[in-house]
Amino acid sequence: MITRWFGARVPRVEDDRLLRGSGRFTDDIDGGALEGCLVRSPHAHARIRSIDVSAARRAAGVTAVYTAADLPFGDTDLPILIPHPNLTHGRTQRCLASDVVRYAGEAVAFVVAEDRYLAEDAADLVEVDYEPLPVVITPEAAARAERLVHDDVPGNVAAEMIQEVGEVEGALAAAPHRRRLRLRFERGAASPMEARAVWARWSASERRLTVYDSTQSPTSIRGGLAVLFGLPESSVEVIAPDVGGGFGPKIMLFYPDELLVPWAAMQLGRPVKWTEDRREHFTAVNHERGQVHEVEVGFDGDGRVLALSDDFIHDAGAYTPYGIILPIITAAQVPGPYRVPNYRVRFRDVYTNATPTSPYRGAGRPHACFVMERTLDAIATALGLDRVEVRRRNLIQPDDFPYELGVAWQDGNEVIYDSGNYPALLERAVQMLGPRPAGDHVGMGLGVYVEGTGVGPYEGAHVQVLVSGKVVAATGVPSQGQAHATVWAQVVADQLGVDVADVQVTSGDTRRFQWGVGTFASRSAVTAGNAMAVAAGMVAEKARQIAAEHLEVDPADLELAGGRVRVKGSPDRGISLAAAAVLANPVRYAFGGGTDKATQFAGKARPGPPLREGEQPGLEATGFFSPSGSTWASGCHAAYVRVDPQTYRLQILKYVVVHDCGRVINPLVLEGQIEGGVAQGIGGAFYERLAYDQEGQLRNASFMEFLMPYATEVPEIEIDHIETPSPLNPLGVKGAGEAGVIPVGAVIASAVEEALGVPITEMPLSPLKLYELSRSAT
């Protein structure tokens, strides 16, 4: 019997080391490094009249103070990560501002000193003369365009995009029923345990730059640094060591510090380190979520959607470094798992004097789900129908796949759902939720969603069987806590027929694997997971060829199992993978008798040179996987909540999740991903709110004032899975990293609305917000 690891609940191999305090994060790396501190703008919008760093440069222990004028790339705009034809007025900041600052927290100067304390003291001596300018702080104010964030951007509009499927105006006009809704989703932010950090060292003798960066994309950082500094990519090493959570904002090309720290190290001839503090993380690391939607829906008497028009504005913040991926995702995911025969969506990406935005876990999807689920609840209310039944009548059916939505997706293709069974998700969730708990002010919430995952363009992997029989594997995709080392070991172990404990996976280190894209958009399992399978499959085929020659059998008659290559049906006849690894190297060597087992004199001598044309030494291979399109995961969340009508305290009585991410590699890891996502969603739905004032100051930029849910606010989450394998990749998997967070706002809104009987049209909620809504409704 051959052990299969794919689908097994293998415990995370990462946890023992991390729980024992043996993790190695960027801030743990020292090497005699100087330390840096950024001087940041206190104004949300201001003109810089002058910058005086003379006192800071004279301060004790200070090695260097840089302004834009001191940098060879000081007048270069940072790149737009993903340009788009509709991004007609894309703007990015410079490494250090020298003319105008457009959000509180924008970097103005960089101080390097013997230690962090000295750098912080010197930073206080940098004198910047600002001329405050009018501030635009909400997307609604940006759309009114009474003031401009960028003088050369008319109307504050960075991009506008309109898409239409069917004939919306005619369908709306003919619809028996119509409703209009205005729905608002406020800004949100990731709060990883580890803020951002960069460490760099330059070896002048080797002309080699080594950078440790808590990034989600070390391979891309490597490429960008090589271009900026005129180095071959082979002379730049970027390592993402242990990273204490990413959730999206840690993939940027580039944050200013990712250029300043390496450059300072190259100039000063000493390692340089910069570690972000919590306030900086709140104000200078990208946010997300802020959108305002104007929805009009037409529907029939049975509650079936006939036409949907959504016109929304997206809060880009001060710059568009990530392009317009976020509103594109929202526009594509509003219809979700439902049939919408006539769909029109228009968005405007507008500038505000707030921190720029880029994907944060969910990335445009929670807003889309909120819009569609609120719309369906409104239809149910208007017709007096059961909310579950309205969803049941509108769901795409299992025999509709592949299902073409007809609008653009983030990878440049059109949205095509690859597989799924949405009715089964709904029915199972309703079954798991069970009867309504007794008591007053109890509401039921429901949300069904899809999630585009596994976006390309590619990932790669290298797999090698050592002469010990152990296996090492590497990929460029770093881990942010998703248990990559566990699940990819399972994939490799199955391909090579070895114990999962014999596979060691390294990721996010360009010294081990140079090519790749990064971890984001729930793509790692699909792209890197399949790349692992490709590379391990190539190694397995090579092992069969080697063993076939040694055993004088047909390779097709061999199988890999129990760490051996053996004849099918004759398990005693074979060789170990360790011996195959020795045989794979013409200069054979091994301790412990390996050489004896694999010596060329032990078997039949092969004619010709030891290494034939096209052959490579070693039992190893590099493989890549490039998906033809995105995979589409899906799920249904449902909950009962109780709201105290006096204090407006929220109590989640029961929360269930039914999830479909195709074939499940490791249910234990998947359930952890979902639970974490739901917890983050609960925070975004009821606790976490970025409180900007009219001057563009973030008034709760600390954990003293920014509320996050404790474990006491997160209920036990009951999870079930269904599997509709994706036809778009050999493993049949879909992504799962963001699924837990997507529908939570919609579920909580639906449940609270039923519990209190007040319309819920915005996120996040809070006791104060519920009090205000209840007062306005009476």
Side-chain angles (χ1 to χ4, degrees):
M1 180 177 176
I2 297 176
T3 300
R4 306 301 298 180
W5 296 104
F6 197 111
R9 302 177 73 89
V10 177
R12 290 164 46 105
V13 300
E14 297 90 343
D15 288 348
D16 183 79
R17 182 175 59 85
L18 294 172
L19 291 172
R20 293 177 188 275
S22 299
R24 190 168 186 249
F25 300 84
T26 300
D27 192 48
D28 293 326
I29 300 163
D30 186 20
L34 300 165
E35 296 203 47
C37 172
L38 285 159
V39 178
R40 298 186 181 277
S41 168
H43 298 280
H45 197 191
R47 194 177 313 283
I48 297 175
R49 293 193 182 106
S50 64
I51 305 174
D52 184 354
V53 299
S54 56
R57 282 177 173 154
R58 292 194 300 270
V62 170
T63 308
V65 181
Y66 301 112
T67 66
D70 302 309
L71 306 174
F73 47 89
D75 59 354
T76 301
D77 293 338
L78 296 177
I80 294 176
L81 181 57
I82 308 173
H84 192 282
N86 287 75
L87 182 57
T88 54
H89 294 84
R91 298 290 182 271
T92 58
Q93 67 187 85
R94 294 178 177 174
C95 208
L96 295 171
S98 59
D99 182 16
V100 176
V101 290
R102 294 183 174 86
Y103 65 94
E106 186 166 353
V108 175
F110 185 54
V111 178
V112 183
E114 289 295 331
D115 62 40
R116 179 64 177 263
Y117 299 100
L118 294 171
E120 295 269 5
D121 289 346
D124 289 341
L125 299 176
V126 174
E127 295 186 2
V128 185
D129 184 9
Y130 294 101
E131 176 190 352
L133 297 172
V135 171
V136 179
I137 199 57
T138 66
E140 294 94 330
R144 289 194 297 272
E146 295 164 349
R147 301 163 179 168
L148 295 180
V149 176
H150 298 268
D151 290 340
D152 59 347
V153 178
N156 289 318
V157 178
E160 181 175 0
M161 190 169 178
I162 302 174
Q163 302 176 82
E164 182 164 355
V165 180
E167 205 286 290
V168 173
E169 282 305 312
L172 283 173
H177 305 274
R178 295 168 70 170
R179 285 290 305 271
R180 292 180 182 269
L181 298 95
R182 185 175 190 276
L183 302 165
R184 195 173 197 282
F185 218 104
E186 286 199 19
R187 275 179 171 247
S191 299
M193 287 190 291
E194 181 200 22
R196 298 183 52 260
V198 183
W199 181 99
R201 177 184 60 211
W202 169 247
S203 171
S205 60
E206 298 180 5
R207 292 193 58 76
R208 179 171 298 278
L209 178 64
T210 302
V211 177
Y212 284 80
D213 187 347
S214 60
T215 178
Q216 294 176 229
S217 182
T219 49
S220 300
I221 294 288
R222 168 181 175 256
L225 291 176
V227 171
L228 183 69
F229 298 134
L231 296 169
E233 287 189 336
S234 56
S235 296
V236 181
E237 302 166 340
V238 178
I239 304 102
D242 288 322
V243 174
F247 309 119
K250 289 183 179 176
I251 183 166
M252 265 284 287
L253 302 172
F254 294 81
Y255 284 109
D257 44 85
E258 289 174 316
L259 304 180
L260 291 167
V261 172
W263 190 79
M266 295 174 75
Q267 299 304 306
L268 301 174
R270 286 182 59 182
V272 175
K273 180 168 73 174
W274 169 82
T275 302
E276 186 180 64
D277 65 29
R278 185 55 59 178
R279 181 174 179 79
E280 286 182 298
H281 193 81
F282 269 108
T283 59
V285 171
N286 294 350
H287 300 163
E288 213 231 279
R289 299 287 197 260
Q291 291 182 354
V292 181
H293 292 250
E294 303 284 350
V295 178
E296 184 172 13
V297 61
F299 50 99
D300 66 17
D302 293 327
R304 291 186 174 84
V305 175
L306 302 176
L308 182 73
S309 173
D310 183 15
D311 189 342
F312 72 93
I313 49 177
H314 174 81
D315 182 356
Y319 301 100
T320 49
Y322 214 90
I324 55 174
I325 287 299
L326 286 169
I328 287 176
I329 292 173
T330 301
Q333 298 225 206
V334 164
Y338 304 106
R339 287 172 169 158
V340 181
N342 300 283
Y343 174 53
R344 180 179 61 212
V345 60
R346 172 202 185 211
F347 70 75
R348 287 167 291 159
D349 196 14
V350 296
Y351 288 114
T352 60
N353 290 118
T355 303
T357 57
S358 67
Y360 158 46
R361 196 176 195 177
R365 301 170 180 88
H367 341 8
C369 183
F370 181 73
V371 167
M372 193 66 200
E373 296 297 322
R374 290 282 70 204
T375 300
L376 293 175
D377 281 347
I379 293 172
T381 300
L383 298 176
L385 295 174
D386 179 79
R387 289 174 292 167
V388 175
E389 185 58 31
V390 168
R391 286 164 173 80
R392 193 176 283 136
R393 294 174 183 177
N394 283 286
L395 284 173
I396 296 165
Q397 297 301 301
D399 58 0
D400 288 338
F401 294 94
Y403 187 88
E404 298 185 20
L405 206 59
V407 298
W409 182 232
Q410 68 178 110
D411 60 5
N413 299 313
E414 287 196 350
V415 172
I416 303 176
Y417 299 164
D418 55 340
S419 64
N421 189 339
Y422 307 147
L425 293 169
L426 176 63
E427 300 306 329
R428 178 63 181 137
V430 171
Q431 180 188 34
M432 289 172 61
L433 189 62
R436 181 182 298 269
D440 297 331
H441 304 292
V442 172
M444 188 274 280
L446 189 68
V448 195
Y449 65 95
V450 297
E451 180 196 2
T453 71
V455 65
Y458 76 93
E459 289 295 343
H462 177 261
V463 174
Q464 179 184 17
V465 178
L466 306 178
V467 293
S468 64
K470 303 289 187 182
V471 180
V472 293
T475 178
V477 173
S479 177
Q480 316 281 289
Q482 307 103 311
H484 287 167
T486 304
V487 296
W488 291 337
Q490 291 178 250
V491 172
V492 172
D494 271 1
Q495 294 285 337
L496 296 179
V498 300
D499 192 291
V500 70
D502 289 333
V503 181
Q504 181 180 357
V505 176
T506 302
S507 61
D509 186 340
T510 64
R511 297 171 301 184
R512 298 293 306 278
F513 199 86
Q514 290 76 38
W515 299 103
V517 182
T519 181
F520 59 94
S522 302
R523 65 186 297 277
S524 298
V526 176
T527 54
N530 277 285
M532 284 284 178
V534 170
M538 294 165 69
V539 172
E541 182 57 30
K542 190 171 185 178
R544 288 191 187 90
Q545 293 290 342
I546 293 169
E549 289 187 8
H550 193 76
L551 299 171
E552 297 183 326
V553 298
D554 189 320
D557 293 332
L558 297 174
E559 64 182 4
L560 277 68
R564 292 170 57 79
V565 190
R566 67 192 190 190
V567 177
K568 296 175 182 175
S570 300
D572 294 335
R573 189 182 176 206
I575 64 172
S576 67
L577 268 180
V582 176
L583 288 165
N585 186 352
V587 184
R588 293 161 186 159
Y589 57 91
F591 291 101
T595 306
D596 298 335
K597 295 175 184 175
T599 176
Q600 63 268 39
F601 301 109
K604 182 179 180 180
R606 191 174 73 167
L611 197 62
R612 291 173 178 166
E613 185 175 352
E615 285 187 343
Q616 295 183 356
L619 189 50
E620 60 183 306
T622 297
F624 291 87
F625 177 74
S626 181
S628 60
S630 289
T631 59
W632 289 82
S634 55
C636 180
H637 293 202
Y640 287 122
V641 308
R642 175 181 288 121
V643 182
D644 187 317
Q646 300 301 318
T647 64
Y648 296 99
R649 174 176 176 266
L650 176 72
Q651 182 182 10
I652 301 175
L653 304 174
K654 187 170 186 178
Y655 201 104
V656 304
V657 175
V658 185
H659 184 251
D660 176 8
C661 61
R663 294 183 66 210
V664 177
I665 302 174
N666 185 327
L668 193 65
V669 169
L670 173 60
E671 288 159 12
Q673 285 277 346
I674 293 172
E675 289 171 350
V678 172
Q680 214 158 13
I682 290 171
F686 203 76
Y687 299 94
E688 300 170 5
R689 177 174 176 266
L690 296 172
Y692 275 96
D693 65 17
Q694 291 303 306
E695 300 303 317
Q697 300 296 323
L698 184 58
R699 292 299 185 187
N700 59 342
S702 80
F703 284 158
M704 289 290 289
E705 299 149 311
F706 180 81
L707 296 181
M708 287 194 295
Y710 299 138
T712 48
E713 278 78 51
V714 179
E716 180 180 350
I717 300 162
E718 299 178 24
I719 301 172
D720 196 11
H721 313 282
I722 69 170
E723 294 189 8
T724 61
S726 172
L728 302 182
N729 63 81
L731 296 180
V733 298
K734 306 173 185 176
E738 298 168 274
V741 78
I742 293 172
V744 181
V747 171
I748 297 298
S750 181
V752 169
E753 182 172 282
E754 188 183 55
L756 288 180
V758 297
I760 303 297
T761 59
E762 60 183 283
M763 278 282 133
L765 301 173
S766 66
L768 176 60
K769 178 61 67 177
L770 291 183
Y771 169 77
E772 292 172 347
L773 291 173
S774 296
R775 289 291 297 266
S776 62
T778 56

